[in-house]
Amino acid sequence: MKEKPKYTVLRQQANWKNLRFYKKSEVLYQLTYAFTRRFLAAYGDRTVDQMVQAARCCKQNIVEGSADGVTSTESELKLLNIARGSLQELMEDYVDYLASRQLAQWGTSHPRYDAMLHFCRENNDSSAYTPYLERWNDEEMANAAITLCRMTDRMLTSYIEKKDREFVSQGGIRERMTAARLGYRTDQRNELEALRKENQTLKERIKQLEEIISRNSR
């Protein structure tokens, strides 16, 4: 196993595939792709490309932000905020779809709201939604998407705030470079000092042994 370096300026990359908000963004992309093909594409609606690209932009910027976070927290925060902006744009498109067609946006008083909330909260993988992509009607799919958008936005916002606190407390790459260099130099000085002391001890011991040999040879 390769030994981890004591000093490094690189952060450990987050495993974005395990992030719940990334998994939900992946679900949103698959759901949006199916939704637009079923309910918008036949009418040549320009919203199709906008919604699919917004869903894709959210997902891809989470991936890119996680990769850039290895060297730059600033880039990571910027990309994660772009992802969040795309997510909010997507949610607004779904809200507009329901409103323009006089379909219900499910609130807490809607009889199916709690069940939809529970389903979206408990399921993070696309496979759980696949059976419903051809069965849900447009109102059901749009409300599921809105619910997922809200959940993902809350998780993404919390993650961004966490990264922001880390940046404030730990600094960016320049601070890490300086800390790593100073730590390395300190270790080098300590090591040299330890070698000097060891060398002096050995010299004294050699002198003592020479004196013993000299006395014994008389």
Side-chain angles (χ1 to χ4, degrees):
M1 184 176 179
K2 189 176 180 181
E3 185 179 352
K4 185 179 179 181
K6 184 176 181 180
Y7 299 107
T8 177
V9 299
L10 301 178
R11 295 184 186 276
Q12 184 176 359
Q13 182 174 343
N15 188 349
W16 44 268
K17 289 185 178 181
N18 290 334
L19 294 171
R20 287 182 65 208
F21 58 81
Y22 169 77
K23 290 183 177 182
K24 290 192 183 296
S25 75
E26 192 174 33
V27 170
L28 272 167
Y29 176 74
Q30 299 297 334
L31 190 151
T32 300
Y33 186 89
F35 178 87
T36 55
R37 266 52 186 177
R38 286 184 61 195
F39 303 113
L40 293 174
Y43 305 100
D45 197 323
R46 293 177 60 186
T47 309
V48 171
D49 289 339
Q50 294 172 359
M51 291 180 71
V52 172
Q53 285 304 312
R56 183 181 183 278
C57 183
C58 175
K59 180 172 73 74
Q60 295 302 110
N61 275 287
I62 291 171
V63 176
E64 190 176 348
S66 297
D68 283 9
V70 172
T71 56
S72 174
T73 305
E74 181 181 359
S75 293
E76 182 179 19
L77 289 172
K78 179 180 178 181
L79 290 165
L80 291 176
N81 273 297
I82 291 173
R84 186 165 176 254
S86 297
L87 184 66
Q88 292 173 338
E89 178 186 338
L90 178 64
M91 181 167 62
E92 191 65 21
D93 281 331
Y94 278 112
V95 170
D96 288 345
Y97 179 93
L98 292 173
S100 64
R101 290 158 179 80
Q102 298 183 335
L103 298 172
Q105 182 179 339
W106 301 352
T108 54
S109 60
H110 193 279
R112 295 186 60 188
Y113 176 80
D114 288 339
M116 179 64 73
L117 186 67
H118 178 76
F119 180 82
C120 293
R121 182 181 291 145
E122 294 300 315
N123 293 288
N124 299 317
D125 297 322
S126 300
S127 58
Y129 296 80
T130 301
Y132 300 97
L133 297 184
E134 297 298 327
R135 288 165 50 188
W136 279 338
N137 61 32
D138 53 348
E139 181 179 315
E140 291 169 324
M141 287 187 78
N143 276 287
I146 291 170
T147 300
L148 285 166
C149 283
R150 287 173 175 164
M151 289 180 177
T152 307
D153 182 66
R154 284 196 294 270
M155 288 187 285
L156 192 50
T157 299
S158 295
Y159 190 78
I160 290 171
E161 290 173 351
K162 174 188 172 185
K163 289 294 178 180
D164 183 62
R165 291 193 297 271
E166 286 179 2
F167 179 76
V168 171
S169 62
Q170 301 173 17
I173 190 168
R174 291 183 182 87
E175 288 85 356
R176 296 198 301 276
M177 289 173 70
T178 299
R181 192 61 183 164
L182 289 173
Y184 177 78
R185 288 177 176 174
T186 298
D187 280 356
Q188 289 290 298
R189 286 195 297 269
N190 291 340
E191 186 175 345
L192 285 172
E193 182 61 26
L195 288 171
R196 289 192 190 98
K197 290 180 179 179
E198 183 180 357
N199 187 47
Q200 182 61 35
T201 300
L202 289 172
K203 285 181 178 179
E204 292 175 356
R205 181 57 179 161
I206 290 171
K207 185 178 180 180
Q208 292 172 357
L209 291 172
E210 287 176 344
E211 291 176 352
I212 292 172
I213 293 172
S214 176
R215 286 197 299 269
N216 291 338
S217 61
R218 291 173 185 173

